[in-house]
PDB file of all heavy atoms in Angstrom:
ATOM      1  N   ARG A   1      17.019  73.384  45.992  1.00 96.00           N
ATOM      2  CA  ARG A   1      16.048  73.255  47.089  1.00 96.00           C
ATOM      3  C   ARG A   1      14.637  73.615  46.627  1.00 96.00           C
ATOM      4  O   ARG A   1      13.670  72.958  47.003  1.00 96.00           O
ATOM      5  CB  ARG A   1      16.447  74.125  48.277  1.00 96.00           C
ATOM      6  CG  ARG A   1      17.737  73.704  48.946  1.00 96.00           C
ATOM      7  CD  ARG A   1      17.615  72.290  49.522  1.00 96.00           C
ATOM      8  NE  ARG A   1      18.845  71.865  50.130  1.00 96.00           N
ATOM      9  CZ  ARG A   1      18.974  71.567  51.409  1.00 96.00           C
ATOM     10  NH1 ARG A   1      17.943  71.635  52.228  1.00 96.00           N
ATOM     11  NH2 ARG A   1      20.142  71.177  51.877  1.00 96.00           N
ATOM     12  N   ARG A   2      14.511  74.663  45.813  1.00 96.00           N
ATOM     13  CA  ARG A   2      13.182  75.030  45.293  1.00 96.00           C
ATOM     14  C   ARG A   2      12.603  73.919  44.418  1.00 96.00           C
ATOM     15  O   ARG A   2      11.414  73.620  44.499  1.00 96.00           O
ATOM     16  CB  ARG A   2      13.251  76.315  44.493  1.00 96.00           C
ATOM     17  CG  ARG A   2      13.325  77.524  45.344  1.00 96.00           C
ATOM     18  CD  ARG A   2      13.291  78.757  44.479  1.00 96.00           C
ATOM     19  NE  ARG A   2      13.652  79.859  45.322  1.00 96.00           N
ATOM     20  CZ  ARG A   2      12.818  80.811  45.668  1.00 96.00           C
ATOM     21  NH1 ARG A   2      11.607  80.806  45.223  1.00 96.00           N
ATOM     22  NH2 ARG A   2      13.209  81.776  46.464  1.00 96.00           N
ATOM     23  N   GLU A   3      13.452  73.338  43.594  1.00 95.00           N
ATOM     24  CA  GLU A   3      12.999  72.270  42.712  1.00 95.00           C
ATOM     25  C   GLU A   3      12.554  71.054  43.518  1.00 95.00           C
ATOM     26  O   GLU A   3      11.525  70.449  43.218  1.00 95.00           O
ATOM     27  CB  GLU A   3      14.114  71.896  41.735  1.00 95.00           C
ATOM     28  CG  GLU A   3      13.689  70.913  40.678  1.00 95.00           C
ATOM     29  CD  GLU A   3      12.609  71.437  39.748  1.00 95.00           C
ATOM     30  OE1 GLU A   3      12.450  72.661  39.615  1.00 95.00           O
ATOM     31  OE2 GLU A   3      11.895  70.599  39.166  1.00 95.00           O
ATOM     32  N   ARG A   4      13.301  70.711  44.538  1.00 92.00           N
ATOM     33  CA  ARG A   4      12.898  69.583  45.397  1.00 92.00           C
ATOM     34  C   ARG A   4      11.545  69.836  46.048  1.00 92.00           C
ATOM     35  O   ARG A   4      10.708  68.938  46.121  1.00 92.00           O
ATOM     36  CB  ARG A   4      13.935  69.346  46.486  1.00 92.00           C
ATOM     37  CG  ARG A   4      15.192  68.702  46.001  1.00 92.00           C
ATOM     38  CD  ARG A   4      16.060  68.376  47.182  1.00 92.00           C
ATOM     39  NE  ARG A   4      17.445  68.218  46.809  1.00 92.00           N
ATOM     40  CZ  ARG A   4      18.386  67.916  47.673  1.00 92.00           C
ATOM     41  NH1 ARG A   4      18.100  67.750  48.945  1.00 92.00           N
ATOM     42  NH2 ARG A   4      19.624  67.773  47.266  1.00 92.00           N
ATOM     43  N   LEU A   5      11.342  71.053  46.525  1.00 91.00           N
ATOM     44  CA  LEU A   5      10.049  71.378  47.139  1.00 91.00           C
ATOM     45  C   LEU A   5       8.926  71.323  46.112  1.00 91.00           C
ATOM     46  O   LEU A   5       7.836  70.827  46.392  1.00 91.00           O
ATOM     47  CB  LEU A   5      10.082  72.770  47.772  1.00 91.00           C
ATOM     48  CG  LEU A   5      10.728  72.879  49.136  1.00 91.00           C
ATOM     49  CD1 LEU A   5      10.759  74.332  49.585  1.00 91.00           C
ATOM     50  CD2 LEU A   5       9.999  72.031  50.163  1.00 91.00           C
ATOM     51  N   ARG A   6       9.198  71.851  44.939  1.00 91.00           N
ATOM     52  CA  ARG A   6       8.181  71.881  43.886  1.00 91.00           C
ATOM     53  C   ARG A   6       7.754  70.471  43.486  1.00 91.00           C
ATOM     54  O   ARG A   6       6.572  70.206  43.250  1.00 91.00           O
ATOM     55  CB  ARG A   6       8.707  72.636  42.660  1.00 91.00           C
ATOM     56  CG  ARG A   6       7.651  72.931  41.616  1.00 91.00           C
ATOM     57  CD  ARG A   6       8.236  73.601  40.394  1.00 91.00           C
ATOM     58  NE  ARG A   6       9.111  72.739  39.620  1.00 91.00           N
ATOM     59  CZ  ARG A   6       8.709  71.727  38.853  1.00 91.00           C
ATOM     60  NH1 ARG A   6       7.438  71.416  38.776  1.00 91.00           N
ATOM     61  NH2 ARG A   6       9.575  71.020  38.166  1.00 91.00           N
ATOM     62  N   GLN A   7       8.704  69.564  43.434  1.00 92.00           N
ATOM     63  CA  GLN A   7       8.420  68.203  42.999  1.00 92.00           C
ATOM     64  C   GLN A   7       7.910  67.297  44.119  1.00 92.00           C
ATOM     65  O   GLN A   7       7.380  66.230  43.852  1.00 92.00           O
ATOM     66  CB  GLN A   7       9.667  67.576  42.384  1.00 92.00           C
ATOM     67  CG  GLN A   7      10.076  68.206  41.095  1.00 92.00           C
ATOM     68  CD  GLN A   7      11.333  67.579  40.521  1.00 92.00           C
ATOM     69  OE1 GLN A   7      11.975  66.749  41.140  1.00 92.00           O
ATOM     70  NE2 GLN A   7      11.692  67.999  39.322  1.00 92.00           N
ATOM     71  N   SER A   8       8.050  67.727  45.349  1.00 90.00           N
ATOM     72  CA  SER A   8       7.702  66.873  46.478  1.00 90.00           C
ATOM     73  C   SER A   8       6.203  66.865  46.756  1.00 90.00           C
ATOM     74  O   SER A   8       5.550  67.897  46.739  1.00 90.00           O
ATOM     75  CB  SER A   8       8.426  67.342  47.739  1.00 90.00           C
ATOM     76  OG  SER A   8       8.064  66.528  48.830  1.00 90.00           O
ATOM     77  N   SER A   9       5.711  65.685  47.005  1.00 88.00           N
ATOM     78  CA  SER A   9       4.317  65.560  47.448  1.00 88.00           C
ATOM     79  C   SER A   9       4.272  65.049  48.891  1.00 88.00           C
ATOM     80  O   SER A   9       3.206  64.710  49.393  1.00 88.00           O
ATOM     81  CB  SER A   9       3.559  64.603  46.524  1.00 88.00           C
ATOM     82  OG  SER A   9       4.164  63.327  46.548  1.00 88.00           O
ATOM     83  N   ARG A  10       5.426  65.011  49.527  1.00 89.00           N
ATOM     84  CA  ARG A  10       5.512  64.525  50.903  1.00 89.00           C
ATOM     85  C   ARG A  10       4.775  65.479  51.840  1.00 89.00           C
ATOM     86  O   ARG A  10       4.880  66.698  51.706  1.00 89.00           O
ATOM     87  CB  ARG A  10       6.969  64.379  51.309  1.00 89.00           C
ATOM     88  CG  ARG A  10       7.691  63.312  50.491  1.00 89.00           C
ATOM     89  CD  ARG A  10       9.171  63.293  50.674  1.00 89.00           C
ATOM     90  NE  ARG A  10       9.548  63.246  52.075  1.00 89.00           N
ATOM     91  CZ  ARG A  10      10.800  63.284  52.476  1.00 89.00           C
ATOM     92  NH1 ARG A  10      11.785  63.352  51.609  1.00 89.00           N
ATOM     93  NH2 ARG A  10      11.090  63.241  53.763  1.00 89.00           N
ATOM     94  N   PRO A  11       4.026  64.949  52.801  1.00 88.00           N
ATOM     95  CA  PRO A  11       3.262  65.796  53.726  1.00 88.00           C
ATOM     96  C   PRO A  11       4.127  66.802  54.481  1.00 88.00           C
ATOM     97  O   PRO A  11       3.697  67.921  54.733  1.00 88.00           O
ATOM     98  CB  PRO A  11       2.622  64.805  54.692  1.00 88.00           C
ATOM     99  CG  PRO A  11       2.678  63.481  54.034  1.00 88.00           C
ATOM    100  CD  PRO A  11       3.823  63.529  53.057  1.00 88.00           C
ATOM    101  N   GLU A  12       5.356  66.413  54.813  1.00 86.00           N
ATOM    102  CA  GLU A  12       6.202  67.331  55.576  1.00 86.00           C
ATOM    103  C   GLU A  12       6.697  68.509  54.736  1.00 86.00           C
ATOM    104  O   GLU A  12       7.262  69.450  55.263  1.00 86.00           O
ATOM    105  CB  GLU A  12       7.385  66.596  56.218  1.00 86.00           C
ATOM    106  CG  GLU A  12       8.321  65.946  55.248  1.00 86.00           C
ATOM    107  CD  GLU A  12       8.001  64.485  54.958  1.00 86.00           C
ATOM    108  OE1 GLU A  12       6.867  64.039  55.179  1.00 86.00           O
ATOM    109  OE2 GLU A  12       8.918  63.789  54.519  1.00 86.00           O
ATOM    110  N   HIS A  13       6.477  68.460  53.428  1.00 87.00           N
ATOM    111  CA  HIS A  13       6.866  69.577  52.575  1.00 87.00           C
ATOM    112  C   HIS A  13       5.686  70.487  52.227  1.00 87.00           C
ATOM    113  O   HIS A  13       5.821  71.398  51.419  1.00 87.00           O
ATOM    114  CB  HIS A  13       7.536  69.072  51.299  1.00 87.00           C
ATOM    115  CG  HIS A  13       8.903  68.525  51.571  1.00 87.00           C
ATOM    116  ND1 HIS A  13       9.554  67.704  50.697  1.00 87.00           N
ATOM    117  CD2 HIS A  13       9.750  68.674  52.626  1.00 87.00           C
ATOM    118  CE1 HIS A  13      10.730  67.370  51.187  1.00 87.00           C
ATOM    119  NE2 HIS A  13      10.867  67.943  52.362  1.00 87.00           N
ATOM    120  N   GLN A  14       4.560  70.256  52.859  1.00 89.00           N
ATOM    121  CA  GLN A  14       3.408  71.119  52.651  1.00 89.00           C
ATOM    122  C   GLN A  14       3.564  72.376  53.494  1.00 89.00           C
ATOM    123  O   GLN A  14       4.146  72.341  54.583  1.00 89.00           O
ATOM    124  CB  GLN A  14       2.115  70.375  53.015  1.00 89.00           C
ATOM    125  CG  GLN A  14       1.880  69.132  52.168  1.00 89.00           C
ATOM    126  CD  GLN A  14       1.948  69.403  50.682  1.00 89.00           C
ATOM    127  OE1 GLN A  14       1.294  70.302  50.174  1.00 89.00           O
ATOM    128  NE2 GLN A  14       2.759  68.633  49.979  1.00 89.00           N
ATOM    129  N   PRO A  15       3.060  73.515  53.008  1.00 87.00           N
ATOM    130  CA  PRO A  15       3.179  74.763  53.782  1.00 87.00           C
ATOM    131  C   PRO A  15       2.667  74.601  55.211  1.00 87.00           C
ATOM    132  O   PRO A  15       1.633  73.972  55.453  1.00 87.00           O
ATOM    133  CB  PRO A  15       2.312  75.738  52.995  1.00 87.00           C
ATOM    134  CG  PRO A  15       2.369  75.229  51.586  1.00 87.00           C
ATOM    135  CD  PRO A  15       2.391  73.723  51.734  1.00 87.00           C
ATOM    136  N   GLY A  16       3.443  75.138  56.152  1.00 87.00           N
ATOM    137  CA  GLY A  16       3.074  75.082  57.557  1.00 87.00           C
ATOM    138  C   GLY A  16       3.722  73.953  58.331  1.00 87.00           C
ATOM    139  O   GLY A  16       3.803  74.001  59.558  1.00 87.00           O
ATOM    140  N   ALA A  17       4.184  72.928  57.637  1.00 90.00           N
ATOM    141  CA  ALA A  17       4.859  71.814  58.302  1.00 90.00           C
ATOM    142  C   ALA A  17       6.271  72.257  58.691  1.00 90.00           C
ATOM    143  O   ALA A  17       6.895  73.058  58.001  1.00 90.00           O
ATOM    144  CB  ALA A  17       4.920  70.592  57.388  1.00 90.00           C
ATOM    145  N   SER A  18       6.777  71.744  59.785  1.00 90.00           N
ATOM    146  CA  SER A  18       8.094  72.162  60.288  1.00 90.00           C
ATOM    147  C   SER A  18       9.221  72.045  59.258  1.00 90.00           C
ATOM    148  O   SER A  18       9.997  72.988  59.101  1.00 90.00           O
ATOM    149  CB  SER A  18       8.459  71.388  61.546  1.00 90.00           C
ATOM    150  OG  SER A  18       7.570  71.711  62.578  1.00 90.00           O
ATOM    151  N   PRO A  19       9.325  70.911  58.535  1.00 92.00           N
ATOM    152  CA  PRO A  19      10.391  70.852  57.530  1.00 92.00           C
ATOM    153  C   PRO A  19      10.223  71.915  56.439  1.00 92.00           C
ATOM    154  O   PRO A  19      11.201  72.451  55.929  1.00 92.00           O
ATOM    155  CB  PRO A  19      10.274  69.446  56.951  1.00 92.00           C
ATOM    156  CG  PRO A  19       9.643  68.653  58.046  1.00 92.00           C
ATOM    157  CD  PRO A  19       8.674  69.616  58.685  1.00 92.00           C
ATOM    158  N   ARG A  20       8.986  72.226  56.102  1.00 93.00           N
ATOM    159  CA  ARG A  20       8.742  73.252  55.084  1.00 93.00           C
ATOM    160  C   ARG A  20       9.113  74.635  55.621  1.00 93.00           C
ATOM    161  O   ARG A  20       9.697  75.455  54.906  1.00 93.00           O
ATOM    162  CB  ARG A  20       7.277  73.216  54.639  1.00 93.00           C
ATOM    163  CG  ARG A  20       6.901  74.262  53.623  1.00 93.00           C
ATOM    164  CD  ARG A  20       7.697  74.061  52.307  1.00 93.00           C
ATOM    165  NE  ARG A  20       7.398  75.104  51.358  1.00 93.00           N
ATOM    166  CZ  ARG A  20       6.573  74.956  50.327  1.00 93.00           C
ATOM    167  NH1 ARG A  20       5.953  73.799  50.120  1.00 93.00           N
ATOM    168  NH2 ARG A  20       6.354  75.941  49.506  1.00 93.00           N
ATOM    169  N   ILE A  21       8.795  74.897  56.871  1.00 94.00           N
ATOM    170  CA  ILE A  21       9.181  76.170  57.494  1.00 94.00           C
ATOM    171  C   ILE A  21      10.695  76.305  57.443  1.00 94.00           C
ATOM    172  O   ILE A  21      11.228  77.356  57.084  1.00 94.00           O
ATOM    173  CB  ILE A  21       8.663  76.258  58.941  1.00 94.00           C
ATOM    174  CG1 ILE A  21       7.142  76.396  58.946  1.00 94.00           C
ATOM    175  CG2 ILE A  21       9.316  77.427  59.690  1.00 94.00           C
ATOM    176  CD1 ILE A  21       6.503  76.224  60.311  1.00 94.00           C
ATOM    177  N   TYR A  22      11.392  75.232  57.780  1.00 95.00           N
ATOM    178  CA  TYR A  22      12.858  75.237  57.737  1.00 95.00           C
ATOM    179  C   TYR A  22      13.346  75.537  56.319  1.00 95.00           C
ATOM    180  O   TYR A  22      14.186  76.421  56.112  1.00 95.00           O
ATOM    181  CB  TYR A  22      13.412  73.888  58.214  1.00 95.00           C
ATOM    182  CG  TYR A  22      14.901  73.775  58.012  1.00 95.00           C
ATOM    183  CD1 TYR A  22      15.783  74.203  58.991  1.00 95.00           C
ATOM    184  CD2 TYR A  22      15.424  73.274  56.819  1.00 95.00           C
ATOM    185  CE1 TYR A  22      17.154  74.129  58.798  1.00 95.00           C
ATOM    186  CE2 TYR A  22      16.793  73.204  56.617  1.00 95.00           C
ATOM    187  CZ  TYR A  22      17.647  73.635  57.605  1.00 95.00           C
ATOM    188  OH  TYR A  22      19.004  73.575  57.408  1.00 95.00           O
ATOM    189  N   LEU A  23      12.851  74.790  55.338  1.00 96.00           N
ATOM    190  CA  LEU A  23      13.333  74.954  53.966  1.00 96.00           C
ATOM    191  C   LEU A  23      13.002  76.334  53.403  1.00 96.00           C
ATOM    192  O   LEU A  23      13.837  76.944  52.724  1.00 96.00           O
ATOM    193  CB  LEU A  23      12.758  73.862  53.073  1.00 96.00           C
ATOM    194  CG  LEU A  23      13.352  72.480  53.306  1.00 96.00           C
ATOM    195  CD1 LEU A  23      12.559  71.413  52.564  1.00 96.00           C
ATOM    196  CD2 LEU A  23      14.806  72.445  52.895  1.00 96.00           C
ATOM    197  N   ASP A  24      11.803  76.837  53.667  1.00 96.00           N
ATOM    198  CA  ASP A  24      11.442  78.180  53.194  1.00 96.00           C
ATOM    199  C   ASP A  24      12.369  79.232  53.796  1.00 96.00           C
ATOM    200  O   ASP A  24      12.837  80.133  53.096  1.00 96.00           O
ATOM    201  CB  ASP A  24       9.990  78.507  53.537  1.00 96.00           C
ATOM    202  CG  ASP A  24       8.989  77.779  52.665  1.00 96.00           C
ATOM    203  OD1 ASP A  24       9.361  77.279  51.580  1.00 96.00           O
ATOM    204  OD2 ASP A  24       7.813  77.713  53.071  1.00 96.00           O
ATOM    205  N   THR A  25      12.656  79.103  55.077  1.00 97.00           N
ATOM    206  CA  THR A  25      13.540  80.064  55.741  1.00 97.00           C
ATOM    207  C   THR A  25      14.961  79.925  55.227  1.00 97.00           C
ATOM    208  O   THR A  25      15.638  80.932  54.984  1.00 97.00           O
ATOM    209  CB  THR A  25      13.498  79.867  57.271  1.00 97.00           C
ATOM    210  OG1 THR A  25      12.148  79.982  57.717  1.00 97.00           O
ATOM    211  CG2 THR A  25      14.357  80.900  57.988  1.00 97.00           C
ATOM    212  N   TYR A  26      15.420  78.703  55.027  1.00 98.00           N
ATOM    213  CA  TYR A  26      16.759  78.449  54.504  1.00 98.00           C
ATOM    214  C   TYR A  26      16.927  79.103  53.127  1.00 98.00           C
ATOM    215  O   TYR A  26      17.903  79.814  52.876  1.00 98.00           O
ATOM    216  CB  TYR A  26      16.972  76.936  54.429  1.00 98.00           C
ATOM    217  CG  TYR A  26      18.301  76.488  53.878  1.00 98.00           C
ATOM    218  CD1 TYR A  26      19.459  76.564  54.637  1.00 98.00           C
ATOM    219  CD2 TYR A  26      18.392  75.947  52.595  1.00 98.00           C
ATOM    220  CE1 TYR A  26      20.687  76.119  54.137  1.00 98.00           C
ATOM    221  CE2 TYR A  26      19.604  75.503  52.095  1.00 98.00           C
ATOM    222  CZ  TYR A  26      20.741  75.602  52.870  1.00 98.00           C
ATOM    223  OH  TYR A  26      21.945  75.160  52.365  1.00 98.00           O
ATOM    224  N   ILE A  27      15.966  78.881  52.254  1.00 98.00           N
ATOM    225  CA  ILE A  27      16.010  79.458  50.910  1.00 98.00           C
ATOM    226  C   ILE A  27      15.958  80.985  50.986  1.00 98.00           C
ATOM    227  O   ILE A  27      16.731  81.672  50.311  1.00 98.00           O
ATOM    228  CB  ILE A  27      14.861  78.903  50.042  1.00 98.00           C
ATOM    229  CG1 ILE A  27      15.093  77.425  49.745  1.00 98.00           C
ATOM    230  CG2 ILE A  27      14.716  79.705  48.749  1.00 98.00           C
ATOM    231  CD1 ILE A  27      13.878  76.699  49.189  1.00 98.00           C
ATOM    232  N   ASP A  28      15.059  81.516  51.790  1.00 98.00           N
ATOM    233  CA  ASP A  28      14.949  82.972  51.944  1.00 98.00           C
ATOM    234  C   ASP A  28      16.256  83.580  52.431  1.00 98.00           C
ATOM    235  O   ASP A  28      16.685  84.635  51.950  1.00 98.00           O
ATOM    236  CB  ASP A  28      13.820  83.347  52.912  1.00 98.00           C
ATOM    237  CG  ASP A  28      12.437  83.102  52.347  1.00 98.00           C
ATOM    238  OD1 ASP A  28      12.303  82.880  51.124  1.00 98.00           O
ATOM    239  OD2 ASP A  28      11.483  83.112  53.156  1.00 98.00           O
ATOM    240  N   GLU A  29      16.893  82.929  53.380  1.00 98.00           N
ATOM    241  CA  GLU A  29      18.146  83.458  53.913  1.00 98.00           C
ATOM    242  C   GLU A  29      19.262  83.377  52.879  1.00 98.00           C
ATOM    243  O   GLU A  29      20.071  84.303  52.767  1.00 98.00           O
ATOM    244  CB  GLU A  29      18.545  82.726  55.191  1.00 98.00           C
ATOM    245  CG  GLU A  29      19.726  83.345  55.891  1.00 98.00           C
ATOM    246  CD  GLU A  29      19.518  84.782  56.341  1.00 98.00           C
ATOM    247  OE1 GLU A  29      18.368  85.208  56.553  1.00 98.00           O
ATOM    248  OE2 GLU A  29      20.533  85.496  56.486  1.00 98.00           O
ATOM    249  N   LEU A  30      19.303  82.293  52.115  1.00 98.00           N
ATOM    250  CA  LEU A  30      20.303  82.217  51.048  1.00 98.00           C
ATOM    251  C   LEU A  30      20.088  83.336  50.026  1.00 98.00           C
ATOM    252  O   LEU A  30      21.051  83.939  49.550  1.00 98.00           O
ATOM    253  CB  LEU A  30      20.264  80.856  50.352  1.00 98.00           C
ATOM    254  CG  LEU A  30      20.834  79.676  51.128  1.00 98.00           C
ATOM    255  CD1 LEU A  30      20.629  78.379  50.345  1.00 98.00           C
ATOM    256  CD2 LEU A  30      22.304  79.872  51.449  1.00 98.00           C
ATOM    257  N   GLU A  31      18.833  83.629  49.710  1.00 98.00           N
ATOM    258  CA  GLU A  31      18.544  84.730  48.785  1.00 98.00           C
ATOM    259  C   GLU A  31      19.001  86.066  49.375  1.00 98.00           C
ATOM    260  O   GLU A  31      19.527  86.919  48.654  1.00 98.00           O
ATOM    261  CB  GLU A  31      17.059  84.774  48.446  1.00 98.00           C
ATOM    262  CG  GLU A  31      16.644  83.625  47.553  1.00 98.00           C
ATOM    263  CD  GLU A  31      15.160  83.572  47.304  1.00 98.00           C
ATOM    264  OE1 GLU A  31      14.373  84.090  48.122  1.00 98.00           O
ATOM    265  OE2 GLU A  31      14.771  83.000  46.266  1.00 98.00           O
ATOM    266  N   HIS A  32      18.802  86.235  50.657  1.00 98.00           N
ATOM    267  CA  HIS A  32      19.258  87.450  51.331  1.00 98.00           C
ATOM    268  C   HIS A  32      20.785  87.558  51.264  1.00 98.00           C
ATOM    269  O   HIS A  32      21.333  88.634  51.003  1.00 98.00           O
ATOM    270  CB  HIS A  32      18.773  87.458  52.783  1.00 98.00           C
ATOM    271  CG  HIS A  32      19.228  88.632  53.567  1.00 98.00           C
ATOM    272  ND1 HIS A  32      18.713  89.899  53.397  1.00 98.00           N
ATOM    273  CD2 HIS A  32      20.191  88.755  54.506  1.00 98.00           C
ATOM    274  CE1 HIS A  32      19.328  90.734  54.207  1.00 98.00           C
ATOM    275  NE2 HIS A  32      20.229  90.062  54.891  1.00 98.00           N
ATOM    276  N   ILE A  33      21.458  86.459  51.474  1.00 97.00           N
ATOM    277  CA  ILE A  33      22.921  86.436  51.409  1.00 97.00           C
ATOM    278  C   ILE A  33      23.386  86.792  49.999  1.00 97.00           C
ATOM    279  O   ILE A  33      24.329  87.579  49.827  1.00 97.00           O
ATOM    280  CB  ILE A  33      23.465  85.072  51.872  1.00 97.00           C
ATOM    281  CG1 ILE A  33      23.238  84.908  53.385  1.00 97.00           C
ATOM    282  CG2 ILE A  33      24.936  84.906  51.503  1.00 97.00           C
ATOM    283  CD1 ILE A  33      23.458  83.499  53.903  1.00 97.00           C
TER     284      ILE A  33
END
């Protein structure tokens, strides 16, 4: 997931966009787990 975000230039993957908020939270929670 981190690699996909790093490589993505899609607007919805920019910080603050809803899909980015989802992915950042998803990754953070997996790290917590």
Side-chain angles (χ1 to χ4, degrees):
R1 295 298 178 118
R2 282 184 192 248
E3 187 63 22
R4 286 187 201 181
L5 280 176
R6 190 183 68 73
Q7 292 179 353
S8 179
S9 60
R10 295 170 51 183
E12 62 267 21
H13 288 162
Q14 299 307 308
S18 295
R20 178 63 183 259
I21 290 169
Y22 172 89
L23 288 170
D24 286 342
T25 304
Y26 179 76
I27 291 166
D28 289 347
E29 188 61 25
L30 287 176
E31 289 175 336
H32 178 73
I33 291 168

